[in-house]
Amino acid sequence: MSKGKKFFQYAFLTIVSLLSVFPLYYMACASTNKSVDVSRGRLIPGTYLLENFKTLTANQNLGLALWNSFRNAAVLTILCLLVCSIAGYGFEIYHDKGKDAVFAILLTAMMVPFAAIMIPMFRMFSSLKLVNTMVAFMLPSISTPFMIMMFRQASRSFPHDIIEAARIDGLSEVGIFFRMFMPTMKSTYAAATIITFMNAWNNYLWPKVILQTNDSITMPMLVANLQAGYAVDYGMLMLAVFICTIPTAIIFFCFQKSFTEGITGAVK
C-alpha cells in the first residue's frame, strides 16, 4: 500500500474515532460545568463537578438507584446466561424432530416488539400478585431468543467427539455441560455477559411499569426523573448520565478481548 493511501486511511480512522469518542467527552465535560454553561455548549471541563454531585445526591437517592440497578443487572445476567446457554446447547446437541419447529417459534418471537406484549404481561403478573417483585422483573428477560440463538450457534463449533468420549468415560450430561462446554465457551459467555448486562442495566420501560415503589428506583429511572421538572439542571443531569455509563463501560472493557470471538462463535 502506498504512503498516500495509508495517510488517507489513517486520517479517516482518526476522524471516525474522534466522532465516536466526542459524545463521551462532551458528557464528561458537561458534568463538570454549570447548567448555563452546558446550555451554551461549552466544551472545556469546568470546576462545578462537586456542586453538581452534591445537588444530585440531595435531590435523588443515588446510592439506592446504583444498588438496585447493579443487583438487578447482575442477578439477571447470571440467570440469563445459565438458562440461555443450557437451551442453546440442548437445541444443538440433542436431536429431535420438533426442535426446529420450536426454534422457529423462538425466532418469530424476536420480531414481536416489546410494547405489543407489555400490557398483557402486566395484567398477567398483576393477576398473580407479582407487581413490585423481582420475579416480575426477571421473568420476561431471563430467557431471550437472541441469547438462545447465540449459544446455539456457538454450540455448533463445539467438538461432538469430545461429548461422545466423555459419555463413554461415564461423565453425566450435566457434567459434560458444566465441566467441558462452559469452560470451552468462555468467549461466548463473555460476549453474552456484555450484551445481557448492558440491556439489563439500561432497561427502563419494563421496570418503570412493574416496579412502582420509590425503593425500586433504578439509574435509568433516576435520569428520567431529573428531566421531569420545569427547569432542568443540565450539569446535574449530565453527571447522572455519566455515572450511569461507568458500570457498563467497565464491563465492556473487562470482556472486550473475548467479545469478537464470542460473537463469531469461535472456540479455542
Side-chain angles (χ1 to χ4, degrees), residues 52-172:
N52 286 334
F53 184 77
K54 290 180 179 179
T55 305
L56 177 61
T57 53
N59 289 285
Q60 299 290 333
N61 197 336
L62 180 62
L64 179 62
L66 283 171
W67 165 247
N68 287 338
S69 292
F70 181 78
R71 179 198 60 195
N72 295 347
V75 174
L76 182 58
T77 299
I78 294 172
L79 293 177
C80 183
L81 292 184
L82 180 62
V83 172
C84 292
S85 60
I86 292 175
Y89 176 84
F91 270 116
E92 181 59 30
I93 301 302
Y94 302 109
H95 299 285
D96 185 81
K97 294 181 179 180
K99 73 171 186 177
D100 291 333
V102 175
F103 194 73
I105 295 174
L106 286 176
L107 294 181
T108 305
M110 294 178 61
M111 306 177 188
V112 180
F114 180 76
I117 61 175
M118 182 177 63
I119 295 177
M121 278 201 309
F122 178 80
R123 294 186 63 182
M124 179 180 66
F125 286 121
S126 179
S127 63
L128 295 174
K129 301 186 184 303
L130 293 176
V131 177
N132 295 323
T133 63
M134 288 290 293
V135 175
F137 170 77
M138 297 288 179
L139 281 180
S141 303
I142 201 173
S143 176
T144 62
F146 176 78
M147 282 291 111
I148 294 175
M149 181 181 66
M150 180 176 172
F151 278 105
R152 185 191 184 189
Q153 292 299 115
S155 300
R156 291 184 174 180
S157 59
F158 186 69
H160 287 224
D161 294 340
I162 296 179
I163 299 176
E164 296 299 331
R167 288 171 178 169
I168 293 174
D169 290 339
L171 189 62
S172 64

Side-chain angles (χ1 to χ4, degrees), residues 35 57 251:
S35 180
T57 53
I251 292 295

Side-chain angles (χ1 to χ4, degrees), residues 39-60:
S39 300
R40 293 174 179 173
R42 181 176 178 178
L43 299 178
I44 302 174
T47 58
Y48 213 69
L49 177 62
L50 186 59
E51 286 75 6
N52 286 334
F53 184 77
K54 290 180 179 179
T55 305
L56 177 61
T57 53
N59 289 285
Q60 299 290 333

Side-chain angles (χ1 to χ4, degrees), residues 187 190 194 251-262 268:
S187 58
I194 294 174
I251 292 295
F252 179 78
F253 285 121
C254 288
F255 295 103
Q256 63 173 335
K257 291 183 179 180
S258 303
F259 182 74
T260 304
E261 295 178 3
K268 288 187 177 181

